[in-house]
Coordinates of all heavy atoms in Angstrom, one line a residue:
M186 N 52.1 54.6 66.7 CA 52.6 55.9 66.1 C 52.6 57.0 67.1 O 51.6 57.3 67.7 CB 51.6 56.2 64.9 CG 52.1 57.2 63.9 SD 53.4 56.7 62.8 CE 52.4 55.5 61.7
P187 N 53.8 57.5 67.4 CA 53.9 58.6 68.4 C 53.1 59.8 68.0 O 53.4 60.3 66.9 CB 55.4 58.9 68.6 CG 56.0 57.7 68.0 CD 55.1 57.2 66.9
W188 N 52.3 60.3 68.9 CA 51.5 61.5 68.6 C 52.0 62.7 69.4 O 52.1 62.6 70.6 CB 50.0 61.2 68.9 CG 49.2 62.4 68.9 CD1 48.7 63.1 70.0 CD2 48.6 63.1 67.8 NE1 47.9 64.2 69.6 CE2 47.8 64.2 68.3 CE3 48.6 62.9 66.4 CZ2 47.1 65.1 67.5 CZ3 48.0 63.8 65.6 CH2 47.2 64.9 66.1
C189 N 52.3 63.8 68.7 CA 52.7 65.0 69.5 C 51.5 65.9 69.6 O 50.9 66.4 68.6 CB 53.8 65.7 68.7 SG 54.4 67.2 69.6
E190 N 51.1 66.1 70.9 CA 49.9 67.0 71.1 C 50.2 68.4 70.7 O 49.3 69.0 70.1 CB 49.6 67.0 72.7 CG 49.3 65.6 73.2 CD 47.8 65.4 73.3 OE1 47.0 66.4 73.1 OE2 47.4 64.2 73.4
D191 N 51.4 68.9 70.9 CA 51.6 70.3 70.6 C 51.7 70.6 69.1 O 51.3 71.6 68.6 CB 52.9 70.8 71.3 CG 52.8 70.6 72.8 OD1 52.0 71.3 73.4 OD2 53.6 69.8 73.4
C192 N 52.3 69.6 68.4 CA 52.4 69.8 66.9 C 51.1 69.3 66.2 O 50.9 69.6 65.0 CB 53.6 69.1 66.4 SG 55.2 69.6 67.1
E193 N 50.3 68.6 66.9 CA 49.1 68.0 66.4 C 49.4 67.1 65.1 O 48.8 67.3 64.1 CB 48.1 69.0 66.1 CG 47.5 69.7 67.3 CD 46.3 70.6 67.0 OE1 46.2 71.1 65.9 OE2 45.5 70.8 67.9
R194 N 50.4 66.3 65.2 CA 50.7 65.4 64.1 C 51.4 64.2 64.7 O 52.0 64.1 65.8 CB 51.6 66.1 63.1 CG 52.9 66.6 63.6 CD 53.8 67.0 62.5 NE 54.2 65.9 61.7 CZ 55.1 66.0 60.6 NH1 55.6 67.1 60.3 NH2 55.4 64.9 60.0
F195 N 51.4 63.1 63.8 CA 52.1 61.9 64.2 C 53.5 61.9 63.7 O 53.9 62.6 62.7 CB 51.3 60.7 63.5 CG 50.0 60.4 64.1 CD1 48.9 60.7 63.4 CD2 49.9 59.7 65.3 CE1 47.6 60.4 63.9 CE2 48.7 59.4 65.8 CZ 47.5 59.8 65.2
Y196 N 54.3 61.1 64.4 CA 55.7 61.0 64.0 C 56.1 59.5 64.0 O 55.6 58.7 64.7 CB 56.7 61.7 65.0 CG 56.6 63.2 64.9 CD1 55.8 63.9 65.9 CD2 57.2 63.9 63.9 CE1 55.8 65.3 65.8 CE2 57.1 65.3 63.8 CZ 56.4 65.9 64.8 OH 56.3 67.3 64.7
T197 N 56.9 59.1 63.0 CA 57.5 57.8 63.0 C 58.6 57.8 64.1 O 59.2 58.8 64.4 CB 58.1 57.4 61.7 OG1 59.1 58.4 61.3 CG2 57.0 57.4 60.6
P198 N 58.8 56.6 64.7 CA 59.9 56.5 65.7 C 61.2 57.0 65.2 O 62.0 57.6 65.9 CB 59.9 55.0 66.0 CG 58.5 54.6 65.8 CD 58.1 55.4 64.6
S199 N 61.5 56.8 63.9 CA 62.8 57.3 63.3 C 62.8 58.8 63.2 O 63.9 59.3 63.1 CB 63.0 56.6 62.0 OG 62.0 56.9 61.1
T200 N 61.7 59.5 63.2 CA 61.7 60.9 63.1 C 62.1 61.6 64.4 O 62.6 62.7 64.4 CB 60.3 61.4 62.7 OG1 59.9 60.7 61.6 CG2 60.3 62.9 62.3
L201 N 61.8 60.9 65.5 CA 62.1 61.4 66.8 C 63.5 61.4 67.1 O 64.3 60.6 66.6 CB 61.3 60.6 67.9 CG 59.8 60.5 67.7 CD1 59.2 59.5 68.7 CD2 59.1 61.8 67.7
T202 N 64.0 62.3 68.0 CA 65.3 62.3 68.4 C 65.6 61.0 69.3 O 64.6 60.4 69.8 CB 65.6 63.5 69.2 OG1 64.9 63.5 70.4 CG2 65.3 64.8 68.4
P203 N 66.8 60.7 69.6 CA 67.1 59.5 70.5 C 66.5 59.7 71.9 O 66.2 58.8 72.6 CB 68.6 59.5 70.6 CG 69.1 60.2 69.3 CD 68.0 61.2 69.0
Q204 N 66.2 61.0 72.3 CA 65.6 61.3 73.6 C 64.1 61.1 73.5 O 63.4 61.2 74.5 CB 65.9 62.7 74.0 CG 67.4 62.9 74.5 CD 68.3 62.9 73.3 OE1 68.0 63.4 72.2 NE2 69.5 62.3 73.4
G205 N 63.5 60.8 72.3 CA 62.1 60.7 72.2 C 61.4 62.0 72.0 O 60.2 62.0 72.3
D206 N 62.0 63.0 71.6 CA 61.4 64.3 71.3 C 61.1 64.5 69.9 O 61.8 63.9 69.0 CB 62.3 65.5 71.8 CG 62.6 65.4 73.3 OD1 61.8 64.7 74.0 OD2 63.5 66.1 73.7
C207 N 60.1 65.2 69.5 CA 59.7 65.5 68.2 C 60.7 66.6 67.7 O 61.4 67.2 68.4 CB 58.3 66.0 68.0 SG 58.0 67.7 68.4
P208 N 60.8 66.8 66.3 CA 61.7 67.8 65.8 C 61.6 69.2 66.4 O 62.5 70.0 66.4 CB 61.4 67.8 64.3 CG 60.8 66.5 64.0 CD 60.1 66.1 65.3
S209 N 60.4 69.5 66.9 CA 60.2 70.8 67.5 C 60.6 70.9 69.0 O 60.5 71.9 69.6 CB 58.7 71.2 67.4 OG 58.3 71.3 66.0
G210 N 60.9 69.7 69.5 CA 61.4 69.7 70.9 C 60.4 69.2 71.9 O 60.8 69.2 73.1
H211 N 59.3 68.8 71.5 CA 58.3 68.3 72.5 C 58.6 66.8 72.8 O 58.9 66.1 71.9 CB 56.9 68.4 72.0 CG 56.6 69.8 71.4 ND1 56.3 70.0 70.1 CD2 56.5 71.0 72.0 CE1 56.1 71.3 69.9 NE2 56.2 71.9 71.0
H212 N 58.4 66.5 74.1 CA 58.6 65.1 74.4 C 57.4 64.2 74.1 O 56.3 64.5 74.5 CB 58.9 65.0 75.9 CG 59.3 63.6 76.4 ND1 60.5 63.0 76.0 CD2 58.7 62.7 77.1 CE1 60.6 61.8 76.5 NE2 59.5 61.6 77.2
V213 N 57.6 63.2 73.3 CA 56.4 62.4 72.8 C 56.6 60.9 73.1 O 55.7 60.2 73.1 CB 56.2 62.6 71.3 CG1 55.7 64.0 71.1 CG2 57.4 62.3 70.5
A214 N 57.8 60.5 73.4 CA 58.0 59.1 73.7 C 59.2 58.9 74.6 O 60.1 59.7 74.7 CB 58.2 58.3 72.4
D215 N 59.3 57.7 75.3 CA 60.4 57.4 76.1 C 61.6 56.9 75.3 O 61.4 56.2 74.4 CB 60.0 56.4 77.2 CG 59.1 57.0 78.3 OD1 59.2 58.3 78.4 OD2 58.4 56.3 78.9
P216 N 62.8 57.3 75.7 CA 64.0 56.9 74.9 C 64.1 55.4 74.8 O 64.5 54.9 73.7 CB 65.1 57.5 75.7 CG 64.5 58.6 76.5 CD 63.1 58.2 76.8
D217 N 63.8 54.7 75.8 CA 64.0 53.2 75.7 C 62.9 52.5 75.0 O 62.9 51.3 74.9 CB 64.1 52.6 77.2 CG 62.9 52.8 78.0 OD1 62.0 53.6 77.5 OD2 62.7 52.2 79.0
S218 N 61.9 53.2 74.4 CA 60.9 52.6 73.7 C 60.7 53.2 72.3 O 59.7 53.4 71.8 CB 59.5 52.7 74.5 OG 59.2 54.1 74.5
A219 N 61.9 53.4 71.7 CA 61.9 54.0 70.4 C 61.1 53.2 69.4 O 60.5 53.8 68.5 CB 63.3 54.2 69.9
V220 N 61.1 51.9 69.5 CA 60.3 51.1 68.6 C 59.0 50.7 69.2 O 58.2 49.9 68.6 CB 61.1 49.8 68.3 CG1 62.4 50.1 67.5 CG2 61.4 49.0 69.5
L221 N 58.6 51.3 70.4 CA 57.4 51.0 71.0 C 56.5 52.2 71.0 O 57.0 53.3 71.0 CB 57.5 50.5 72.4 CG 58.3 49.2 72.6 CD1 58.7 49.0 74.1 CD2 57.6 48.0 72.1
V222 N 55.2 52.0 70.9 CA 54.3 53.1 70.9 C 53.8 53.3 72.4 O 53.5 52.4 73.0 CB 53.0 52.9 70.0 CG1 52.0 54.0 70.2 CG2 53.5 52.8 68.6
Q223 N 53.9 54.5 72.8 CA 53.4 54.8 74.2 C 52.8 56.2 74.2 O 53.3 57.2 73.8 CB 54.6 54.8 75.2 CG 54.1 55.1 76.6 CD 55.3 55.0 77.6 OE1 56.4 55.0 77.2 NE2 55.0 55.0 78.8
S224 N 51.6 56.2 74.8 CA 50.9 57.5 74.9 C 51.5 58.2 76.1 O 51.5 57.7 77.2 CB 49.4 57.3 75.1 OG 48.8 58.5 75.5
T225 N 51.9 59.5 75.9 CA 52.4 60.2 77.0 C 51.5 61.4 77.3 O 51.9 62.4 77.9 CB 53.8 60.7 76.7 OG1 53.8 61.4 75.5 CG2 54.8 59.6 76.6
A226 N 50.3 61.3 76.8 CA 49.3 62.4 77.0 C 49.1 62.6 78.5 O 49.0 61.6 79.3 CB 48.0 62.1 76.3
P227 N 49.0 63.8 79.0 CA 48.7 64.0 80.4 C 47.4 63.4 80.9 O 46.4 63.5 80.2 CB 48.7 65.6 80.5 CG 49.3 66.1 79.3 CD 49.1 65.0 78.3
G228 N 47.5 62.8 82.1 CA 46.3 62.2 82.6 C 46.0 60.8 82.1 O 45.0 60.2 82.5
R229 N 46.8 60.3 81.2 CA 46.6 59.0 80.6 C 47.8 58.1 81.0 O 47.9 57.0 80.4 CB 46.4 59.0 79.1 CG 45.2 59.8 78.7 CD 45.0 59.8 77.2 NE 44.9 58.4 76.7 CZ 44.9 58.1 75.4 NH1 45.2 59.0 74.5 NH2 44.7 56.9 75.0
N230 N 48.6 58.5 81.9 CA 49.8 57.7 82.2 C 49.4 56.4 82.9 O 50.2 55.5 82.9 CB 50.7 58.5 83.2 CG 51.4 59.7 82.5 OD1 51.6 59.7 81.2 ND2 51.7 60.8 83.2
D231 N 48.2 56.3 83.5 CA 47.8 55.1 84.1 C 47.7 54.0 83.1 O 47.8 52.8 83.4 CB 46.5 55.3 84.9 CG 45.4 55.8 84.0 OD1 45.8 56.6 83.1 OD2 44.3 55.5 84.3
S232 N 47.3 54.3 81.9 CA 47.1 53.3 80.9 C 48.2 53.2 79.9 O 48.2 52.4 79.0 CB 45.8 53.5 80.1 OG 45.9 54.8 79.5
A233 N 49.3 54.0 80.1 CA 50.4 54.0 79.2 C 51.0 52.7 79.0 O 51.4 52.3 77.9 CB 51.4 55.1 79.6
G234 N 51.2 51.9 80.1 CA 51.8 50.6 80.1 C 51.1 49.7 79.2 O 51.7 48.9 78.4
R235 N 49.8 49.8 79.2 CA 49.0 48.8 78.4 C 49.0 49.2 76.9 O 48.7 48.4 76.1 CB 47.5 48.8 78.9 CG 47.4 48.1 80.2 CD 45.9 47.7 80.4 NE 45.0 48.8 80.3 CZ 44.7 49.7 81.2 NH1 45.2 49.5 82.4 NH2 43.8 50.6 81.0
E236 N 49.3 50.5 76.6 CA 49.3 50.9 75.2 C 50.6 50.6 74.5 O 50.7 50.9 73.3 CB 48.9 52.4 75.2 CG 47.5 52.6 75.6 CD 47.1 54.1 75.5 OE1 47.8 54.8 74.8 OE2 46.0 54.5 76.0
K237 N 51.6 50.1 75.2 CA 52.8 49.8 74.6 C 52.6 48.6 73.6 O 52.1 47.6 74.0 CB 53.9 49.4 75.6 CG 54.6 50.6 76.2 CD 55.8 50.1 77.0 CE 56.6 51.3 77.6 NZ 57.7 50.8 78.4
R238 N 53.0 48.8 72.4 CA 53.0 47.6 71.5 C 54.0 47.9 70.4 O 54.4 49.0 70.1 CB 51.6 47.4 70.9 CG 51.1 48.5 70.1 CD 49.6 48.3 69.7 NE 49.1 49.5 68.9 CZ 49.3 49.6 67.6 NH1 49.9 48.7 66.9 NH2 48.8 50.7 67.0
K239 N 54.4 46.8 69.8 CA 55.4 46.9 68.7 C 54.8 47.6 67.5 O 53.7 47.3 67.1 CB 55.9 45.5 68.4 CG 57.3 45.5 67.9 CD 57.9 44.1 68.1 CE 59.2 44.0 67.4 NZ 60.2 45.1 67.6
V240 N 55.6 48.5 66.9 CA 55.2 49.2 65.7 C 55.3 48.2 64.6 O 56.3 47.6 64.4 CB 56.1 50.4 65.5 CG1 55.8 51.0 64.1 CG2 55.9 51.4 66.6
K241 N 54.2 48.1 63.8 CA 54.2 47.3 62.6 C 53.4 47.9 61.6 O 52.4 48.6 61.9 CB 53.8 45.9 63.1 CG 52.6 45.3 62.6 CD 52.3 44.0 63.4 CE 51.9 42.8 62.5 NZ 50.7 43.0 61.7
A242 N 53.7 47.6 60.3 CA 53.0 48.2 59.2 C 51.5 47.8 59.3 O 51.2 46.7 59.5 CB 53.6 47.7 57.9
P243 N 50.6 48.8 59.1 CA 49.2 48.5 59.1 C 48.8 47.7 57.9 O 49.5 47.8 56.9 CB 48.5 49.9 59.2 CG 49.5 50.8 58.6 CD 50.9 50.2 59.0
W244 N 47.6 47.1 58.0 CA 47.2 46.2 56.8 C 47.1 47.0 55.6 O 47.4 46.5 54.5 CB 45.9 45.5 57.2 CG 44.7 46.4 57.4 CD1 44.3 47.0 58.5 CD2 43.8 46.9 56.3 NE1 43.2 47.8 58.3 CE2 42.9 47.7 57.0 CE3 43.7 46.7 55.0 CZ2 41.9 48.4 56.3 CZ3 42.7 47.3 54.3 CH2 41.8 48.2 54.9
H245 N 46.6 48.3 55.6 CA 46.4 49.0 54.4 C 47.7 49.4 53.7 O 47.7 49.7 52.5 CB 45.5 50.2 54.6 CG 45.9 51.1 55.8 ND1 45.4 50.9 57.1 CD2 46.8 52.0 55.9 CE1 45.9 51.8 57.9 NE2 46.8 52.5 57.2
F246 N 48.8 49.3 54.5 CA 50.1 49.5 53.8 C 50.4 48.4 52.9 O 50.8 48.6 51.7 CB 51.2 49.6 54.9 CG 52.6 49.6 54.3 CD1 53.1 50.7 53.8 CD2 53.3 48.4 54.4 CE1 54.4 50.7 53.2 CE2 54.6 48.4 53.9 CZ 55.1 49.6 53.3
W247 N 50.1 47.2 53.3 CA 50.4 46.0 52.4 C 49.4 46.0 51.3 O 49.7 45.5 50.2 CB 50.3 44.7 53.3 CG 51.4 44.8 54.3 CD1 51.2 44.9 55.7 CD2 52.8 44.7 54.1 NE1 52.5 44.9 56.3 CE2 53.4 44.8 55.4 CE3 53.6 44.6 52.9 CZ2 54.8 44.8 55.5 CZ3 55.0 44.7 53.1 CH2 55.6 44.7 54.4
V248 N 48.2 46.4 51.5 CA 47.2 46.6 50.3 C 47.8 47.5 49.3 O 47.8 47.2 48.1 CB 45.8 47.1 50.8 CG1 45.0 47.4 49.6 CG2 45.2 46.0 51.7
L249 N 48.4 48.6 49.8 CA 49.0 49.6 48.9 C 50.2 49.0 48.1 O 50.3 49.2 46.9 CB 49.4 50.9 49.7 CG 49.8 52.1 48.8 CD1 48.6 52.7 48.1 CD2 50.4 53.1 49.7
V250 N 51.0 48.3 48.9 CA 52.2 47.7 48.3 C 51.7 46.7 47.2 O 52.3 46.7 46.1 CB 53.0 46.9 49.3 CG1 54.1 46.0 48.7 CG2 53.7 47.9 50.3
A251 N 50.7 45.9 47.5 CA 50.2 44.9 46.5 C 49.7 45.6 45.3 O 50.0 45.2 44.1 CB 49.1 44.0 47.1
A252 N 48.9 46.7 45.5 CA 48.4 47.5 44.4 C 49.5 48.1 43.5 O 49.4 48.0 42.3 CB 47.5 48.6 44.9
V253 N 50.6 48.6 44.1 CA 51.7 49.2 43.4 C 52.4 48.1 42.6 O 52.7 48.3 41.4 CB 52.7 49.9 44.4 CG1 54.0 50.2 43.7 CG2 52.0 51.1 44.9
V254 N 52.6 46.9 43.2 CA 53.3 45.8 42.5 C 52.5 45.4 41.3 O 53.0 45.2 40.2 CB 53.5 44.6 43.5 CG1 53.9 43.4 42.7 CG2 54.6 45.0 44.5
I255 N 51.1 45.3 41.5 CA 50.3 44.8 40.4 C 50.3 45.9 39.3 O 50.4 45.6 38.1 CB 48.8 44.6 40.9 CG1 48.8 43.4 41.8 CG2 47.9 44.5 39.7 CD1 47.5 43.2 42.6
Y256 N 50.2 47.2 39.7 CA 50.2 48.2 38.7 C 51.5 48.3 37.9 O 51.5 48.3 36.6 CB 50.0 49.6 39.4 CG 50.1 50.8 38.4 CD1 49.1 51.0 37.5 CD2 51.2 51.6 38.5 CE1 49.2 52.1 36.7 CE2 51.3 52.7 37.7 CZ 50.4 52.9 36.7 OH 50.5 54.0 35.9
L257 N 52.7 48.2 38.6 CA 53.9 48.3 37.9 C 54.2 47.1 37.1 O 54.8 47.1 36.0 CB 55.1 48.5 39.0 CG 55.1 49.8 39.7 CD1 56.2 49.9 40.7 CD2 55.2 51.0 38.7
G258 N 53.7 45.9 37.5 CA 53.8 44.7 36.7 C 53.0 44.8 35.4 O 53.5 44.4 34.4
W259 N 51.8 45.4 35.5 CA 51.0 45.7 34.3 C 51.7 46.6 33.4 O 51.7 46.4 32.2 CB 49.6 46.1 34.7 CG 48.8 46.6 33.6 CD1 48.2 47.8 33.4 CD2 48.4 45.8 32.5 NE1 47.5 47.8 32.2 CE2 47.6 46.6 31.6 CE3 48.6 44.4 32.1 CZ2 47.0 46.1 30.4 CZ3 48.0 44.0 30.9 CH2 47.3 44.8 30.1
R260 N 52.3 47.7 34.0 CA 53.0 48.7 33.1 C 54.2 48.0 32.5 O 54.6 48.4 31.3 CB 53.4 49.9 33.9 CG 52.3 50.8 34.4 CD 51.3 51.1 33.4 NE 52.0 51.9 32.3 CZ 51.8 53.2 32.0 NH1 50.9 53.8 32.7 NH2 52.4 53.8 31.0
L261 N 54.8 47.1 33.1 CA 56.0 46.4 32.6 C 55.5 45.5 31.4 O 56.2 45.5 30.3 CB 56.6 45.5 33.6 CG 57.9 44.7 33.2 CD1 59.0 45.7 32.9 CD2 58.3 43.8 34.3
V262 N 54.4 44.9 31.6 CA 53.8 44.1 30.5 C 53.5 45.0 29.3 O 53.8 44.6 28.1 CB 52.5 43.3 30.9 CG1 51.8 42.7 29.8 CG2 52.9 42.2 31.9
Q263 N 52.9 46.1 29.6 CA 52.6 47.1 28.5 C 53.9 47.6 27.8 O 53.9 47.7 26.6 CB 51.9 48.3 29.1 CG 50.4 48.0 29.4 CD 49.7 49.3 29.8 OE1 50.3 50.1 30.6 NE2 48.4 49.5 29.4
G264 N 54.9 47.8 28.6 CA 56.2 48.3 28.0 C 56.8 47.2 27.1 O 57.3 47.6 26.0
I265 N 56.8 46.0 27.6 CA 57.4 44.9 26.8 C 56.5 44.7 25.5 O 57.1 44.6 24.4 CB 57.4 43.6 27.6 CG1 58.4 43.7 28.7 CG2 57.7 42.4 26.7 CD1 58.4 42.6 29.7
A266 N 55.2 44.8 25.6 CA 54.4 44.7 24.4 C 54.6 45.8 23.4 O 54.6 45.6 22.2 CB 52.9 44.7 24.8
W267 N 54.9 47.0 24.0 CA 55.2 48.2 23.1 C 56.5 48.0 22.4 O 56.7 48.3 21.2 CB 55.2 49.5 24.0 CG 55.6 50.7 23.2 CD1 54.8 51.4 22.4 CD2 56.9 51.3 23.2 NE1 55.5 52.5 21.9 CE2 56.8 52.4 22.4 CE3 58.1 51.0 23.9 CZ2 57.9 53.3 22.2 CZ3 59.2 51.9 23.6 CH2 59.1 53.0 22.8
L268 N 57.5 47.4 23.1 CA 58.8 47.2 22.5 C 58.7 46.2 21.4 O 59.4 46.3 20.4 CB 59.8 46.7 23.6 CG 60.4 47.7 24.5 CD1 61.2 47.0 25.6 CD2 61.2 48.7 23.8
L269 N 57.9 45.2 21.5 CA 57.8 44.1 20.6 C 56.8 44.5 19.4 O 56.8 43.7 18.5 CB 57.3 42.8 21.3 CG 58.2 42.3 22.4 CD1 57.6 41.1 23.0 CD2 59.6 42.0 21.8
S270 N 56.1 45.6 19.5 CA 55.2 45.9 18.5 C 55.8 46.6 17.3 O 56.9 47.2 17.5 CB 54.0 46.8 19.1 OG 54.6 48.0 19.5
Ligands
ZN468 ZN1 56.0 68.5 68.8

C-alpha cells in the first residue's frame, strides 16, 4: 500500500496518478511499479528494492467478504421465510 508521508495516509495504486503521485501531487511510487509496493521514504532507498511485492488483498479482507456473504445469505433466508409466512 503506497504511503504518502506528506498527506499521512495510504493510497491504493489506482488512486495514484500514472506518474505515481498522490492526488495532492506528492510522489509516492514509481510509475513502472503501479501494481507494486515500494517505499520511497527518504533514507530508506537502500531497502526499497527488497520491499517491492505484489499488491494482494490482506487476509482480513477475505474474512470480511465471508462475513458479508454469510450475513446476506442469512438475510435472504429470513426474507424468503417472511414471504412464505
Ligand atoms: Zn500526498
